[in-house]
Amino acid sequence: MVDCNSQFIEMFGNLPDESIYATVTLGEISDMQSGGTPSSKHPEYYGGSIPFISTPCLGPNFIGADAAQNWVTELGVKNSTTHVIPAYSIMYGCRVGVGKSSINTCEMCTNQDVLSFFNIDVQKYDLLYIKKVLDQYYECIDALKRGSTIKGVPSDLVKGIKIPDVSMEVQKQFAAFTEQSDKSKFELEQALSELNATYKRIIAENLG
């Protein structure tokens, strides 16, 4: 089975250097907002109704309120540099979990390690397609991390990621391919896990 990287190169070229199609940058098709963390010295900033996440939550295609590591109050948002991000934005790790991304299915806040991209025209750009394109840049972006203690990448670099500007039909075709590839990989890993468990049980029964 063709892997996602090979399929991406076949369909769009070896980005960021060579592209079959014209491209747009992530920053050109969206607005961006960085996050922040309400002070833990103020308990009234926590225990609210707004999901709060950081980079360990990122990676799955979609994340909802159940992914929240904490919950903040409106007062916590007001008195910090975090922001309430609209549902169906793309959240991208710029520090610690550099290169990880997810689409949020509800309003939520993020810490300073996450950049959020919103106001994307969904009539022109499929969000899952954009997330899957970002995934293809993971190794390239990860190699550009800088910092003496906490390594990260600047927001301008993330905003400059090139997205092949193709029809919605082609976007959905690539997104569907990657979804099937992810499903096949999961099923294979599950089968290997079950086989390993069976092997260990047989060994235990025969040697125990």
Side-chain angles (χ1 to χ4, degrees):
M1 182 176 181
V2 178
D3 63 34
C4 291
N5 288 335
S6 298
Q7 183 69 14
F8 182 81
I9 292 173
E10 180 180 331
M11 291 182 69
F12 306 116
N14 192 13
L15 289 165
D17 301 317
E18 301 174 4
S19 177
I20 296 173
Y21 298 96
T23 61
V24 292
T25 65
L26 182 58
E28 288 174 332
I29 62 172
S30 66
D31 293 323
M32 188 203 79
Q33 182 63 64
S34 57
T37 303
S39 173
S40 59
K41 295 180 180 179
H42 294 269
E44 66 272 23
Y45 293 171
Y46 290 89
S49 60
I50 306 169
F52 182 83
I53 69 156
S54 59
T55 51
C57 305
L58 302 180
N61 292 333
F62 298 94
I63 55 172
D66 58 343
Q69 296 172 306
N70 216 321
W71 296 76
V72 296
T73 63
E74 291 183 4
L75 186 64
V77 175
K78 181 180 179 180
N79 292 296
S80 71
T81 54
T82 194
H83 296 81
V84 178
I85 303 301
Y88 295 97
S89 301
I90 293 179
M91 297 182 163
Y92 191 91
C94 62
R95 299 199 317 167
V96 185
V98 173
K100 295 169 62 179
S101 64
S102 289
I103 301 165
N104 59 313
T105 59
C106 64
E107 289 186 346
M108 57 179 60
C109 294
T110 76
N111 76 349
Q112 58 274 16
D113 298 337
V114 179
L115 298 173
S116 297
F117 295 88
F118 54 98
N119 287 340
I120 297 172
D121 185 352
V122 294
Q123 299 300 314
K124 294 181 62 177
Y125 300 103
D126 181 81
L127 293 180
L128 185 56
Y129 163 73
I130 294 176
K131 185 265 191 292
K132 292 301 185 181
V133 171
L134 296 178
D135 286 348
Q136 302 310 304
Y137 281 90
Y138 180 85
E139 291 185 3
C140 175
I141 296 295
D142 187 66
L144 296 174
K145 291 186 300 187
R146 296 292 182 270
S148 55
T149 52
I150 299 177
K151 295 184 181 298
V153 293
S155 60
D156 284 348
L157 190 151
V158 181
K159 289 166 65 176
I161 291 177
K162 295 178 180 179
I163 311 291
D165 195 10
V166 296
S167 68
M168 185 65 77
E169 180 183 359
V170 175
Q171 292 179 44
K172 290 186 176 297
Q173 180 184 350
F174 180 70
F177 175 87
T178 58
E179 283 280 81
Q180 183 58 49
S181 178
D182 290 344
K183 180 181 178 181
S184 298
K185 181 180 179 181
F186 173 78
E187 291 174 346
L188 177 60
E189 290 174 348
Q190 188 174 43
L192 290 173
S193 178
E194 292 172 356
L195 181 62
N196 188 46
T198 301
Y199 173 75
K200 289 181 177 179
R201 187 181 72 251
I202 292 173
I203 293 297
E205 290 173 353
N206 284 275
L207 297 181

